[in-house]
């Protein structure tokens, strides 16, 4: 067991281990579903990936994933299957939500300013007041052992905001390469004033959450909506993520052990790197 854990910590061996394990019989099931949201005024497509239900249903954990169109590229069913088969993670239900990038992902308190994320407040209401009750009814689980939410880029900002605003229901949040360009404005001296850092810094909330952040240490690009490539200049994501962590830490929302920062020195802020580090996130959030 110790050897397996070491292998999963070593990025060079991770894919080899996954391929070997995936040749065995699957321990999970995947299904498509959808729910009508009165807040969003549309049907929302869901992909549900679940491990075997334990005898004690309350041992099941829930992961909400702001997925957009990234799910097929992430190979999450294989990753979850391999980790669960090796008894490295607890029983888990992952619900991937197909949100609309430009409208629904963002921060609720900033949803009225500008076009991007103008429905973020409605999306937050949907996740907490419509989707969450729907999942409990669907799984027949009254209370999950733990609940986490995660996402990448602008979807990561959305995950952080939903967790921050609803820490009474969510325990952990994972943010992969947060898009700090969201709602950015240029100040008097020509410097970008980051609205996300300002929002978290000025918030009166002190949510008791556990945080997992990933950022690449190199210049890279990631795919945005409508096929546009957005360049991240000179490790901006890494620096802004560290600034955000410092703000959260100073708010005294928990101990330093509640915040984990993963620097992808050889990785990038893109789908391939997010997929590569997703096993690390699952081990952090749901390790046995």
């Amino acid at each position: 067991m110790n050897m397996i854990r070491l292998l999963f910590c070593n990025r060079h061996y991770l894919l080899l281990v996954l391929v070997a394990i995936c040749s065995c019989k699957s321990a999970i099931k995947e299904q498509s579903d959808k729910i009508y949201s009165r807040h969003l005024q549309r049907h929302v497509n869901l992909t549900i990936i679940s491990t075997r239900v334990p005898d004690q249903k309350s041992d099941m954990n829930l992961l909400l994933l702001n997925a957009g169109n990234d799910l097929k590229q992430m190979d999450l069913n294989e990753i979850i299957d391999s980790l669960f088969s090796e008894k490295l993670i607890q029983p888990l239900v992952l619900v991937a939500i197909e949100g609309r990038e430009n409208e629904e992902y963002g921060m609720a308190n900033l949803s009225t300013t500008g076009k991007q994320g103008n429905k973020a407040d409605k999306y937050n209401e949907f996740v907490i007041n419509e989707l969450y009750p729907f999942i409990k009814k669907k799984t027949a689980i009254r209370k999950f052992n733990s609940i986490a939410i995660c996402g990448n880029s602008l979807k990561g900002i959305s995950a952080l905001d939903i967790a921050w605003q609803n820490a009474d229901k969510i325990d952990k949040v994972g943010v992969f390469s947060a898009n700090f360009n969201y709602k950015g404005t240029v100040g008097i001296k020509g410097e970008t004033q980051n609205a996300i850092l300002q929002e978290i810094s000025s918030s009166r909330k002190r949510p008791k959450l556990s945080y997992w952040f990933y950022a690449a240490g190199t210049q890279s690009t990631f795919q945005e909506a409508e096929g546009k490539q957005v360049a991240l200049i000179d490790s901006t994501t890494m620096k802004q993520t560290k600034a955000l962590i410092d703000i959260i830490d100073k708010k005294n929302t928990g101990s330093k052990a509640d915040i984990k920062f993963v620097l992808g020195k050889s990785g990038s802020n893109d789908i391939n790197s997010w997929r590569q580090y997703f096993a690390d996130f699952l081990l952090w959030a749901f390790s046995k």
Side-chain angles (χ1 to χ4, degrees), residues 156-167:
I157 296 297
S158 173
L160 175 62
D161 186 50
I162 292 172
W164 187 272
Q165 302 294 340
N166 300 279

Side-chain angles (χ1 to χ4, degrees), residues 103-115:
E103 296 179 351
E104 296 168 359
Y105 295 131
M107 301 191 73
N109 289 346
L110 304 178
S111 59
T112 58
T113 58
K115 180 181 178 181

Side-chain angles (χ1 to χ4, degrees), residues 94-141:
L94 180 148
V95 179
I97 313 158
E98 193 173 311
R100 293 179 176 173
E101 186 88 25
N102 281 333
E103 296 179 351
E104 296 168 359
Y105 295 131
M107 301 191 73
N109 289 346
L110 304 178
S111 59
T112 58
T113 58
K115 180 181 178 181
Q116 190 179 45
N118 64 314
K119 292 184 179 179
D121 55 343
K122 294 179 175 60
Y123 183 77
N124 286 20
E125 291 288 340
F126 157 70
V127 170
I128 297 300
N129 297 321
E130 295 180 316
L131 179 62
Y132 180 51
F134 173 82
I135 295 169
K136 291 199 295 183
K137 183 177 181 180
K138 184 85 175 178
T139 58
I141 297 175

Side-chain angles (χ1 to χ4, degrees), residues 5 12 30 45-46 92 129 144 146 155 167 182 197 199 222 234-235 262 272:
R5 289 183 182 277
H12 296 291
E30 179 179 335
N45 293 325
L46 309 171
L92 176 66
N129 297 321
F144 289 94
S146 69
K155 298 180 283 290
Y182 168 66
L197 300 185
E199 178 72 17
F222 60 85
D234 204 19
S235 306
V262 176
N272 288 333

Side-chain angles (χ1 to χ4, degrees), residues 176-236:
F176 293 73
S177 304
N179 182 356
F180 290 100
N181 293 322
Y182 168 66
K183 300 293 184 184
T185 58
V186 178
I188 297 176
K189 297 181 180 180
E191 298 178 351
T192 299
Q193 306 298 306
N194 190 281
I196 300 159
L197 300 185
Q198 292 177 5
E199 178 72 17
I200 297 297
S201 179
S202 61
S203 174
R204 294 183 178 181
K205 292 181 178 291
R206 296 176 182 270
K208 298 298 182 181
L209 292 165
S210 294
Y211 307 83
W212 191 96
F213 294 95
Y214 164 85
T218 58
Q219 180 178 349
S220 59
T221 61
F222 60 85
Q223 190 75 27
E224 279 290 355
E226 301 176 359
K228 295 178 181 179
Q229 289 285 339
V230 180
L232 299 179
I233 302 174
D234 204 19
S235 306
T236 298

Side-chain angles (χ1 to χ4, degrees), residues 19-27 81 85-86:
V19 170
I21 295 174
C22 285
S23 62
C24 303
K25 184 178 179 180
S26 175
D81 189 13
S85 296
E86 287 300 304

